[in-house]
Amino acid sequence: LVIDKQTTATTDYLAHLRKLLKGNAKNMQAIITIALEQIQEFIDNTNQSLPDNNWDMVFNDAHRLKSTLGTLGIESIREPIIAIEKLTHSRQNLAEIPRIFEHFKQQCQTEIPKLEAELRQLQTPK
């Protein structure tokens, strides 16, 4: 049942984005491209920042990504980012961050292919 809910939510955010942008393919492409770049950048940077306990870097990257994911409405990967942002900002329960980051990366394995598929569909001439 949970899987169905996630699938529905995922489909909903793309439908919501289309509605928000009135089906403007160029704007959809731009937002999805930025999101994919920022997700990858967050993963790369955090993989480097975590071992060094560079909480400022993790916080800044999470904060930036949170806004983009908010625009897209991808709650499944936005929620762990919000948690990481709060923990790095408060400097509390920092030991939880690697686990939350792993959860984020797992969720990305589901969401990124959907975003990439949407992007390919937008780029296909009609």
Side-chain angles (χ1 to χ4, degrees):
L1 187 71
V2 174
I3 294 168
D4 290 342
K5 185 175 180 250
Q6 284 182 330
T7 305
T8 304
T10 302
T11 308
D12 286 353
Y13 78 74
L14 288 170
H16 171 75
L17 187 61
R18 277 188 215 102
K19 192 174 174 183
L20 190 71
L21 298 173
K22 298 175 176 52
N24 184 317
K26 281 207 183 323
N27 289 348
M28 291 252 324
Q29 283 178 345
I31 289 173
I32 293 171
T33 301
I34 289 167
L36 289 169
E37 287 170 0
Q38 285 185 357
I39 289 167
Q40 192 56 58
E41 189 177 298
F42 177 79
I43 291 170
D44 293 345
N45 288 349
T46 304
N47 279 329
Q48 291 180 337
S49 302
L50 275 184
D52 299 336
N53 295 329
N54 187 342
W55 304 122
D56 289 333
M57 174 81 113
V58 177
F59 170 79
N60 289 332
D61 289 339
H63 184 72
R64 186 172 56 241
L65 183 55
K66 180 184 81 170
S67 301
T68 302
L69 296 177
T71 301
L72 276 171
I74 312 177
E75 292 306 312
S76 62
I77 56 178
R78 186 169 180 251
E79 287 169 7
I81 292 296
I82 291 170
I84 289 170
E85 180 193 41
K86 284 181 181 167
L87 293 175
T88 52
H89 185 68
S90 68
R91 297 294 198 270
Q92 293 179 342
N93 301 319
L94 295 171
E96 288 291 305
I97 291 175
R99 183 187 58 77
I100 297 168
F101 180 53
E102 286 306 312
H103 174 72
F104 168 78
K105 290 192 291 187
Q106 285 177 336
Q107 292 297 111
C108 284
Q109 289 175 355
T110 303
E111 298 305 333
I112 287 174
K114 292 174 187 170
L115 289 170
E116 289 171 339
E118 181 73 12
L119 198 55
R120 280 192 302 277
Q121 196 174 359
L122 288 166
Q123 292 168 337
T124 305
K126 295 196 162 68

